[in-house]
Amino acid sequence: DLCKEHTTFRQRSEIPEVAVEVSLQPWRAYQTDGCILFSDILTPLPGMGVDFDIDEKVGPVVEPMRTWDSIEKVSFCWCLFLLL
């Protein structure tokens, strides 16, 4: 079972093959006109150098950026690409 093998939300949304399978399962079951590939608002964070975890009882947990040095470590180039 897919959920037993890939137990975390991040595994299901960040591993391309798993994300595709999760998206296709409802389509296979109901033969709808299309399917939705789910992506979360947190998906870009690892590419920007911002690590996070998802706590089942709390939700997304990101280390606070309280210093200029921590902000400078974030890669904003990826975000700028989306704006172009």
Side-chain angles (χ1 to χ4, degrees), residues 2-84:
L2 192 66
C3 291
K4 289 180 183 176
E5 184 178 346
H6 303 283
T7 57
T8 69
F9 171 81
R10 288 190 70 178
Q11 289 175 331
R12 290 183 223 145
S13 64
E14 294 179 5
I15 301 172
E17 296 82 11
V18 177
V20 167
E21 183 58 31
V22 167
S23 298
L24 287 176
Q25 283 182 350
W27 179 80
R28 287 188 191 116
Y30 303 107
Q31 294 296 303
T32 58
D33 291 335
C35 65
I36 297 171
L37 180 61
F38 178 77
S39 181
D40 190 73
I41 193 168
L42 300 171
T43 302
L45 292 182
M48 296 170 59
V50 178
D51 194 30
F52 71 94
D53 196 16
I54 298 179
D55 184 298
E56 288 186 27
K57 296 180 181 177
V58 178
V61 178
V62 179
E63 187 70 32
M65 295 180 200
R66 295 191 170 119
T67 65
W68 184 251
D69 186 50
S70 64
I71 293 170
E72 286 181 326
K73 290 179 182 176
V74 176
S75 172
F76 290 103
C77 293
W78 194 87
C79 288
L80 292 175
F81 175 74
L82 291 176
L83 297 174
L84 298 176

